Amino acid sequence: MLKSLSILLELAKQKGKCRVAVAAAADKHVLDALMMAKNEGFAEPILIGEKEAIKKIAQELSFDLSTIEIIDIADPFLASVEAVSLIRNKKADILMKGLVGTGPMLKAVLDKENGLRKGAVLSHVALFETQFYHKLLGVTDAAMNVAPEFDDKVSLVKNAIEVFHKLGMKEPKVAVIGAVETVNPKMEATVHAAMLTQMNRRKQIKGCIIDGPLALDNAVSAESAQHKGIVSDVAGDVDLIITPDINSGNVLYKAMNFLGGATTAAVIMGARVPIVLTSRADSERSKLMSIALAAAIS
């Protein structure tokens, strides 16, 4: 059982220093997160971007760059291409997004000849630590896939359970959620949930226990499931929640952070290496933990 995000720091440190290729690194909140990770002893940044701008921000943060490699490329897309190239050439271990749009960054990542494409779908996987739940709670997808088709949801599940496996959990419990816990042909999310559950039972999706459709309350509360007569190995003890679409995923993500006081660690999965995208709205601890998560599973 993964109870705290602190385990990510321990796992990252056990692996030694992880080389972080940062595309368009002239970004204050990104450099701040990297400084924390470097000070913790598990990250070695490689900064790609406008050199003078990077140095100016680092000076404001009191971030010592004397031992850090800086590659001077002002164009954000070309900086992304260079960061991807470092990983392809085994000169870096994980990729981090700086001051570059998601589109140009993904264009470099998904380039058929020179990118980091591994599977068909990239997806966002977040881990939450909250006082209102007894262990870490995973959520996918809150940032990448707008309205995933059924095949996409299979990939979302596989990308997310890969995170849990790499953190040492052999069989995470997965709840595919919707507005209700019964199958309704008029509600596609419930049909997708039932199909994913059946695929898991028939060993078409392995390495986890899937149940759905479940409403959010009976996914996280055994008492709620019991009141509704739901018998489930997942209900009340879920490790990973699969949301129907980006709207529900993003609302859940932000509600847990801003109303529930949760701390988050998040990565993009589905490429050859984990990708870190920290948000300006993330807490300092969340930024640090996102890099630690990527380092722990790289």
Side-chain angles (χ1 to χ4, degrees):
M1 182 186 297
L2 303 172
K3 290 188 176 182
S4 168
L5 289 177
S6 297
I7 187 67
L8 303 180
L9 286 177
E10 296 173 21
L11 292 172
K13 289 176 181 179
Q14 287 173 15
K15 285 200 166 187
K17 287 189 177 181
C18 181
R19 298 167 298 176
V20 186
V22 189
D27 183 282
K28 188 172 183 178
H29 87 278
V30 167
L31 289 176
D32 191 30
L34 287 163
M35 180 173 65
M36 290 187 289
K38 189 176 189 304
N39 290 342
E40 287 286 346
F42 67 82
E44 193 60 49
I46 304 171
L47 307 178
I48 306 104
E50 189 177 350
K51 188 171 184 177
E52 291 306 313
I54 292 170
K55 290 171 70 174
K56 182 179 179 181
I57 295 169
Q59 187 174 20
E60 293 173 3
L61 295 170
S62 299
F63 187 3
D64 181 7
L65 300 180
S66 60
T67 61
I68 294 176
E69 181 180 1
I70 303 175
I71 301 174
D72 190 10
I73 301 176
D75 183 271
F77 172 66
L78 295 180
S80 300
V81 171
E82 177 63 21
V84 166
S85 177
L86 289 174
I87 290 169
R88 284 181 60 88
N89 292 317
K90 302 188 185 302
K91 295 180 180 179
D93 306 301
I94 62 177
L95 179 63
M96 186 170 183
K97 176 181 175 292
L99 195 61
V100 56
T102 301
M105 175 85 162
L106 292 182
K107 183 179 179 182
V109 170
L110 296 175
D111 183 276
K112 290 183 179 179
E113 293 184 4
N114 300 307
L116 302 173
R117 184 185 292 268
K118 184 180 76 171
V121 175
L122 298 183
S123 58
H124 182 267
V125 182
L127 297 178
F128 292 89
E129 178 184 326
T130 169
Q131 62 177 318
F132 302 110
Y133 197 61
H134 59 282
K135 57 182 175 179
L136 295 185
L137 180 62
V139 174
T140 192
D141 180 324
M144 292 292 294
N145 293 274
V146 175
E149 301 290 340
F150 178 72
D151 287 347
D152 298 329
K153 288 183 180 178
V154 173
S155 296
L156 263 59
V157 172
K158 291 180 178 179
N159 284 349
I161 63 174
E162 181 182 349
V163 171
F164 282 90
H165 289 173
K166 288 186 174 182
L167 293 176
M169 183 175 288
K170 294 182 179 179
E171 202 169 46
K173 296 177 180 180
V174 181
V176 190
I177 67 167
V180 295
E181 60 279 344
T182 53
V183 178
N184 183 337
K186 294 182 180 181
M187 301 174 72
E188 185 179 61
T190 68
V191 177
H192 285 177
M195 292 167 67
L196 289 167
T197 300
Q198 189 67 2
M199 286 182 71
N200 176 243
R201 290 175 180 173
R202 293 188 174 182
K203 309 300 181 185
Q204 291 172 272
I205 302 175
K206 299 178 181 179
C208 60
I209 301 170
I210 300 178
D211 198 6
L214 292 172
L216 180 61
D217 57 342
N218 37 67
V220 298
S221 168
E223 182 180 0
S224 175
Q226 185 177 9
H227 283 323
K228 292 186 177 181
I230 297 170
V231 179
S232 169
D233 291 330
V234 173
D237 196 38
V238 62
D239 296 297
L240 170 66
I241 288 173
I242 311 296
T243 63
D245 56 29
I246 198 169
N247 290 311
S248 54
N250 196 270
V251 168
L252 177 58
Y253 181 99
K254 289 175 179 174
M256 291 187 68
N257 280 335
F258 292 98
L259 296 176
T263 305
T264 317
V267 291
I268 302 297
M269 296 294 290
R272 292 188 190 181
V273 298
I275 303 172
V276 182
L277 287 80
T278 59
S279 167
R280 296 178 191 278
D282 287 339
S283 69
E284 298 302 309
R285 181 171 168 79
S286 288
K287 294 172 189 175
L288 173 63
M289 290 303 172
S290 292
I291 301 173
L293 173 58
I297 65 177
S298 64

